[in-house]
Amino acid sequence: MRLSGTIRLALGLGCSLPALVGGAMAQTAAEPSGESEIIVTGSRIPRAAQEGPAPVTTITADTIRANGYTSVPDILRAVTQNGGETQSQQSFSGASFTPGAQQVDLRGLGPNHTLVLVNGRRIADFPLPFNGRSNFTDVSNIPLGLIEQVEVLSGSASAIYGSDAIAGVINFKLKDKVDGTTIDYRHGRTEHGGGASHRITATTGWSNDRFHIVAGAEYLLQKPLWAYQRKIQDSTADNPDTAVPLARRTFLRYNPDADEYVDPGAATCGALSYLNGGSTYYASRPRYGAYDDALEDYGPGYFCGSNTSIGYGTVISRREGLNSFASAGYELSDAAQLFVDAQFGISKVALMSDVLNWGYQNASGSSDTTFYNSFDGQLDDWYRQFTPEESGGFSNVMTRNRQQTFSITPGIKGSFADKWSYELSYNHSEYKAKVKFPQIIAAKANALFLGEQQGVDEGSGYPIFNADPARLYTPLTKAEYDSIAVYSVYNPKSWTDNLSATLTSTELFSLPAGPVGFAAVGEIGKQGYDLNPDPLALTDYYYGLKDSAGKGKRSHWALGGELRVPVTSFLQLSGAARFDHFRFAGNGIGKFTYNAGAELRPTSTLLLRAAYGTSFRAPDLHYVFTGPGNTHPSATDYYSCRVEEPDEDLGDCSYAGEGIVAQRNGNRALKPETAKSLNAGIVWSPSRHFDVSVDYFRVSLSNQVQDLDIDTLLRDEADCRIGTTMGGAAVDINSPTCQDALARVHRFASGVNEGYLDSVSINPINIAHEKTSGIDIAVHGSVPTSFGEFSLSVAHTHVFDHKFRQYPGDASINKLAATSGYYIPRDKSTASITWAVEGLKWTLEGRRLGKLPNYDEDAYIKASYLFNTTVQYDFTDHLRGSLSVTNLLDRKPVKDPSYSAYPYYDISWFDSVGRSMFMQLTYKLGGSAL
């Protein structure tokens, strides 16, 4: 393959990027008009070659349009190396912690182990932590219409780019060459309603002999798609694990002494039937009522509930935003140029995961909602949800996030002594947000429903209220709801500053086989973040929430160098070394990393390559600086389920989805994570119309920093107490995992809840080890015919193993096993075929996601397939239209008969959007043809 034009180094220096054939989505450029210089991603040394020692996947703007990609997360879902679980737009944890943000997770090692760059430079992290734990880069705000190409380098790259590049590097290159003004409009609709979108993109530029400027802007309006608009998740009747629908408990009274629901009566629920859109009714659940001697079992427990209120969440968030960029340069002389790159974006995101709810919460924030009710002289427990009729509609309950991003990079670059180039630049990037979380004020809600506390019951130790149960079943007026509901406002921000100097030479000196390339880099900078939470959220002021603050910064400097040595005409070696030093919280951490690569070309059409590297990640700022705090997540008490209800499915267990207290703190003694990576492969390109590559990868990660997982701790605690896993395997209660789990899981020591789950203590730690290996396969081909050209692109990733060991001495967990508690695929594939003739281009893309564990974690669900197609036509040289259909066959998520948790499918991998259509028109004023 030959490429036209001069392509200059970007991942290292922030200029334009390479167009390579390193992955299945690389595209062939136009025929060259002269000599071309091709720069390989993953190196700071310019070189004329199409492949380097490590594979690179390139996705161009043409590919993005031809394959019908609708967003940056959509692009990354098609990348087969992106094999980890990330948050979709309907993620409940995403709505709670990082509303509107989305991530990328190369090799399934976690979003914080993939380095994300824009124009070759680091950008500020999303200012709120992923799952309340670690910092990460948000890819949802990168403007799709302004992308020139995306490059994915998988494997260790710390010796080139420093911290974070453990699983790989993804760089988004924005358009920087404009010879006219281009206006692009795209409109999208879903076949089944909801989720319509509009996008307008404009790019322009101007230049003279010494000065040039390129600018672009993108406006996006994405309307929401609600869960109730999709039949597969608009009701509890969609639960595949229940023979009859189990209503949500909208109004529930529970008797802790008798361990049963208190029957409100059909008339009481009938008076509430207009709530939840007229869906509230007198409902029951089996075995939650009084004991029936005749049946020798517990009878049904009655409450006022709704089947359809479960659909009050967004599948696609509402988003409106404007993103812009500008790049300018002024030539001081033939050997020096001043430049500045700038990006600015602002967007408003609104989403909803569920309605708000309330139960009694004491001043300490305990998860025990029991109180003594002197009205009828017994222990009592009330719970209710707030319906849309009470809150005034969904608009008053949506989480809202106003995001603002800004980056600027001024600098100078040039050349001297014919063979040397330099660049000196300063980069500043910041991410600010104003996030509004809807909350219920605990004390005000307590007073509204229960009245004033009358003391403490001597026998039980519970607070005394004289609460008429009729109050529980009385709908609130809008004024009453407003008196207890409020938005908790966070103003988080993050920033990074970096001064970088780079010196490169294409010919440090010459050997018989050719010139030796050289690069040196020096960096110094700072990075910081501040969650700036609502101060009241750090107390027990709100129902179900006690958050933690987080604020900190660190300084950093680094020195590195790189060599590329042509040993013979068919063998080239490369190597890089770098030392990074971080200082934070009074600690200093320095880390040396290196990599080495070899390229062996026995013939001009065959390349054997290998690369080995070390990498590291400095302790995450939020892992280090987060303050003590509580959250109130839902969790399953596996021990109680297995002991008291062994015949119930976990999703139907009485102790599933319980509210608990999670106690969390940071850890300033964390060590850096370290990793070793190996890539080895073969590339065969017998002609310019065909090439195939097969690459083996292995990443071994040690001292990985990870928040302890609540669900895993509760599973471990149950296994340890019982002595066996759910699958029947023996468990040693004296193992390190058991001892740790038993110490972190706290159960009530007295009262009616004695022995039941109270809280779990979690914090970030350096875990022992995680390792993954597999192969990447890529095939490209094109066949010119008299009736057009046919092009084929195929990418496939197969993971041999992915193992995780939390503590030394523990048995390794196979993350690919159905029983592991992890949901990552072993296989992932993307393929497309394109037919182009004159001004017409038609592309059909297919994706395959390998089997995943089912919800019960005792088997796998089958592989899934998704097809998209795009027809594109050039009406003139300056007017282009296209029509894209995503999810062409209108496929629904793969059915899992055991998936009893809403929305009854895995939202990390599937959605219910269904078939969607996108019309796009592009018009160019002046300049060359499109």
Side-chain angles (χ1 to χ4, degrees), residues 758-778:
D758 177 21
S759 63
V760 179
S761 298
I762 56 174
N763 61 270
I765 61 171
N766 287 98
I767 66 172
H769 195 253
E770 186 166 359
K771 179 181 178 181
T772 183
S773 65
I775 58 170
D776 297 321
I777 301 172

Side-chain angles (χ1 to χ4, degrees), residues 48 59 93 115 126 224 233 239 372 380 385 400 420 649 657 726 754 760 777 812 836 845 859 861 880-881:
I59 310 164
S93 60
L115 175 60
F126 188 77
Q233 62 181 98
N239 188 334
Y372 182 84
D380 215 342
Q385 297 175 337
R400 301 180 183 275
W420 290 89
D649 291 329
M726 286 190 291
E754 182 178 353
V760 179
I777 301 172
S812 292
E845 183 204 53
I861 62 173
R880 174 178 294 162

Side-chain angles (χ1 to χ4, degrees), residues 567-631:
V567 180
T568 68
S569 59
F570 56 85
L571 175 62
Q572 185 163 239
L573 302 179
S574 57
R578 176 174 168 131
F579 183 82
D580 289 80
H581 187 273
F582 289 85
R583 177 162 290 277
F584 57 90
N587 301 324
I589 294 177
K591 196 65 185 174
F592 173 79
T593 54
Y594 65 90
N595 66 26
E599 300 160 67
L600 178 64
R601 303 177 186 273
T603 69
S604 60
T605 61
L606 184 64
L607 168 65
L608 305 176
R609 62 185 176 192
Y612 176 83
T614 62
S615 55
F616 82 108
R617 174 173 170 80
D620 189 287
L621 284 171
H622 191 67
Y623 278 141
V624 173
F625 291 108
T626 182
N630 293 348
T631 58

Side-chain angles (χ1 to χ4, degrees), residues 561-832:
E562 183 182 357
L563 283 174
R564 182 166 289 111
V565 181
V567 180
T568 68
S569 59
F570 56 85
L571 175 62
Q572 185 163 239
L573 302 179
S574 57
R578 176 174 168 131
F579 183 82
D580 289 80
H581 187 273
F582 289 85
R583 177 162 290 277
F584 57 90
N587 301 324
I589 294 177
K591 196 65 185 174
F592 173 79
T593 54
Y594 65 90
N595 66 26
E599 300 160 67
L600 178 64
R601 303 177 186 273
T603 69
S604 60
T605 61
L606 184 64
L607 168 65
L608 305 176
R609 62 185 176 192
Y612 176 83
T614 62
S615 55
F616 82 108
R617 174 173 170 80
D620 189 287
L621 284 171
H622 191 67
Y623 278 141
V624 173
F625 291 108
T626 182
N630 293 348
T631 58
H632 293 252
S634 295
T636 296
D637 184 351
Y638 292 98
Y639 175 72
S640 297
C641 283
R642 292 172 61 184
V643 171
E644 297 191 18
E645 301 179 11
D647 297 327
E648 290 287 339
D649 291 329
L650 287 175
D652 298 328
C653 172
S654 305
Y655 309 101
E658 287 190 315
I660 68 165
V661 175
Q663 303 167 341
R664 187 179 189 276
N665 207 344
N667 185 353
R668 301 197 175 197
L670 289 172
K671 302 174 183 178
E673 302 170 324
T674 60
K676 299 176 182 179
S677 177
L678 172 67
N679 290 280
I682 182 171
V683 182
W684 182 52
S685 182
S687 77
R688 61 186 299 270
H689 296 295
F690 178 80
D691 65 80
V692 59
S693 64
V694 179
D695 288 277
Y696 169 81
F697 68 86
R698 186 184 70 202
V699 182
S700 180
L701 177 58
S702 300
N703 289 324
Q704 182 184 359
V705 178
Q706 189 177 78
D707 236 23
L708 292 167
D709 182 72
I710 293 174
D711 189 74
T712 301
L713 283 171
L714 292 174
R715 288 175 184 270
D716 289 343
E717 186 238 10
D719 293 345
C720 298
R721 287 184 181 274
I722 296 171
T724 63
T725 66
M726 286 190 291
V731 175
D732 180 7
I733 195 172
N734 295 312
S735 69
T737 290
C738 282
Q739 291 301 301
D740 185 69
L742 293 172
R744 291 180 179 277
V745 177
H746 311 293
R747 296 182 174 274
F748 289 107
S750 60
V752 295
N753 290 315
E754 182 178 353
Y756 292 119
L757 187 60
D758 177 21
S759 63
V760 179
S761 298
I762 56 174
N763 61 270
I765 61 171
N766 287 98
I767 66 172
H769 195 253
E770 186 166 359
K771 179 181 178 181
T772 183
S773 65
I775 58 170
D776 297 321
I777 301 172
V779 180
H780 311 91
S782 62
V783 180
T785 70
S786 58
F787 46 90
E789 182 173 9
F790 293 86
S791 301
L792 174 69
S793 180
V794 179
H796 176 73
T797 294
H798 176 81
V799 181
F800 293 144
D801 60 45
H802 194 139
K803 295 180 179 179
F804 171 84
R805 188 182 65 216
Q806 182 161 310
Y807 295 108
D810 285 349
S812 292
I813 297 173
N814 176 12
K815 279 193 170 185
L816 300 173
T819 58
S820 69
Y822 296 91
Y823 296 84
I824 56 178
R826 184 184 293 274
D827 296 284
K828 194 177 179 185
S829 308
T830 299
S832 66

